[in-house]
Amino acid sequence: MKTIDELVQDGVEGKRVFVRADLNVPLDGTTITDDGRIRAVAPTIAKLAAAGAKVIVASHLGRPKGAPDPAFSLAPVAVRLGELLGRNVSFATDTVGDSAKATVAALANGEVTLLENLRFNAGETSKDDAERGAFADALAALADLYVGDGFGAVHRKHASVFDLPARLPHAAGDLIATEVGVLKKLTDDVARPYVVVLGGAKVSDKIGVIDNLLKKADKILIGGGMSYTFLAAKGHEVGISLLQKDQIPTCLAYLAEAEKRGVEFVLPVDVLVSADFPDLKGKTPANPDLVASDAIPADKEGLDIGPKTRELYAAKLADAGTVFWNGPMGVFEHPDYANGTKAVAQALIDSPAFTVVGGGDSAAAVRLLGFDENAFGHISTGGGASLEYLEGKTLPGLAALED
């Protein structure tokens, strides 16, 4: 896999360099509420611009249905990217149309432009190879070189991620190189004890990664909505908590496999419950009840791990050599249900281990709850991509960058 430094060494001055970034940031109207992904790729863009390249940045945002949708425009991202780079970033109002062609043609050496949302074109995500290829051809016509640096999208077989690198000389950006290096520390060269913390809503979202990590981890700690399916599998009442009944046999199999392999599989011992899901907009007080995890009332919903579980999980993390965390412990967006996620984040900071926050909601929680990102070993920009890598899958976007 060629690096961006090698690309720059070969010479990029005056060349049009297409950078596939992951700028899929959360928006409240036109306000960016978390710019972590923009900040993560900015150094790659700055390096190319400083070397005299004409930099064409492209990304998706949200899930528009293959046609322009103002709610998913990247226009606010162009403004924020310009602020971070300390230079003007021009904006093309389409992907491969007249605006894109004119904007790219107007670039001088060292200048940067951002194309409109790639998913406004149906060819970006098409399952039809010919349709996807046609869009990749149109994108390739805009550029001379390709840099893949959108780690959050490398698990997608999309035109700009998979097909485009085959059409242009290509290299991996610094962000992707960093992400892959970190993930190798979680798979090939693991400092032990290796502790995995998994949260989030659904067991079904984590099946592949649990399958694979049961062969590698020393401890697996479970929280979030997915924990209630595990508790139900153990025969406990979970009330109106999030429950995937069809995954109960899978949970039972995981518990049995963990015991067989000597992997410590840890579930919550107490939880915060309520009859009502909290108001996340106004964040009015929720007044939750604290109950043992095997005594959840039939009319209540589990929404966070309790104080005994927080202490238990912190103790399990205290002597770790490596920690991978993906998924919050509760509804962290509400202050009454944020303490479980806060406790896990603090335990990672306090641990001497190499700690990796696996993207997605976990990364968002770290920032929302005010933690110093530099206190962790690494915060991934791609939750889904990280999980699929840890499942042992081949990621199309990484395969496409290999020579």
Side-chain angles (χ1 to χ4, degrees):
M1 193 181 289
K2 190 172 187 176
T3 68
I4 188 176
D5 288 334
E6 292 173 298
L7 196 72
V8 169
Q9 189 174 6
D10 291 344
V12 296
E13 186 173 1
K15 294 184 178 179
R16 301 168 300 166
V17 182
F18 188 104
V19 178
R20 189 6 170 138
D22 176 14
L23 306 175
N24 185 27
V25 295
L27 292 173
D28 183 0
T30 59
T31 301
I32 297 167
T33 57
D34 182 352
D35 68 355
R37 284 177 170 168
I38 308 174
R39 287 186 286 109
V41 76
T44 289
I45 297 167
K47 181 180 290 188
L48 290 166
K54 300 175 179 180
V55 188
I56 307 156
V57 185
S59 177
H60 68 288
L61 192 154
R63 297 179 182 272
K65 298 180 179 178
D69 183 339
F72 298 106
S73 175
L74 280 166
V77 175
V79 175
R80 182 59 182 145
L81 179 59
E83 292 171 350
L84 291 168
L85 294 174
R87 64 173 71 225
N88 180 62
V89 173
S90 59
F91 182 64
T93 56
D94 56 29
T95 55
V96 292
D98 291 343
S99 179
K101 292 172 184 174
T103 306
V104 171
L107 286 174
N109 293 1
E111 291 187 341
V112 180
T113 192
L114 176 64
L115 304 182
E116 184 55 285
N117 193 335
L118 291 166
R119 291 185 183 175
F120 285 1
N121 189 304
E124 169 68 1
T125 59
S126 177
K127 295 192 183 332
D128 180 80
D129 291 347
E131 184 180 15
R132 219 175 48 247
F135 185 48
D137 287 339
L139 291 171
L142 297 172
D144 305 304
L145 302 169
Y146 176 93
V147 171
D149 215 25
F151 180 74
V154 293
H155 58 314
R156 306 295 188 193
K157 192 176 181 181
H158 291 170
S160 65
V161 176
F162 178 74
D163 302 272
L164 183 54
R167 289 159 167 78
L168 294 171
H170 51 264
D174 288 337
L175 176 60
I176 278 187
T178 298
E179 293 274 11
V180 172
V182 166
L183 288 168
K184 284 183 177 177
K185 288 187 179 182
L186 298 178
T187 52
D188 301 334
D189 185 23
V190 183
R192 297 191 177 276
Y194 183 11
V195 185
V196 176
V197 185
L198 296 176
K202 297 179 180 179
V203 174
S204 56
D205 291 341
K206 305 288 196 304
I207 285 176
V209 75
I210 297 175
D211 275 339
N212 210 31
L213 290 177
L214 274 171
K215 303 166 191 169
K216 301 178 184 293
D218 299 299
K219 304 174 188 175
I220 297 178
L221 317 181
I222 302 291
M226 63 185 293
S227 66
Y228 302 105
T229 302
F230 278 97
L231 291 170
K234 295 193 77 170
H236 301 320
E237 168 67 56
V238 296
I240 57 172
S241 305
L242 189 60
L243 173 65
Q244 289 184 288
K245 287 185 178 180
D246 62 321
Q247 295 299 323
I248 286 177
T250 302
C251 291
L252 287 169
Y254 286 152
L255 293 168
E257 183 68 13
E259 186 173 5
K260 176 183 172 183
R261 290 181 173 273
V263 176
E264 194 174 353
F265 207 100
V266 189
L267 298 175
V269 295
D270 61 347
V271 295
L272 293 177
V273 300
S274 175
D276 301 301
F277 195 83
D279 167 25
L280 299 182
K281 286 281 187 181
K283 294 182 170 55
T284 53
N287 300 316
D289 295 323
L290 175 64
V291 299
S293 60
D294 60 356
I296 298 174
D299 62 345
K300 297 288 178 70
E301 177 178 11
L303 295 165
D304 194 15
I305 58 173
K308 289 183 180 177
T309 304
R310 290 175 226 151
E311 291 178 10
L312 173 65
Y313 285 11
K316 299 294 182 186
L317 291 163
D319 66 346
T322 302
V323 180
F324 174 70
W325 171 34
N326 182 278
M329 298 292 100
V331 186
F332 69 90
E333 300 92 339
H334 192 286
D336 288 344
Y337 300 108
N339 288 326
T341 302
K342 280 183 182 177
V344 167
Q346 189 62 52
L348 263 66
I349 291 171
D350 294 341
S351 169
F354 175 64
T355 57
V356 178
V357 181
D361 285 343
S362 306
V366 163
R367 289 189 277 269
L368 179 69
L369 299 175
F371 288 97
D372 179 2
E373 294 180 52
N374 295 321
F376 302 88
H378 179 70
I379 297 181
S380 179
T381 57
S386 296
L387 290 176
E388 290 199 17
Y389 189 100
L390 294 177
E391 288 174 31
K393 290 182 177 179
T394 297
L395 305 188
L398 295 185
L401 293 175
E402 293 173 356
D403 295 325

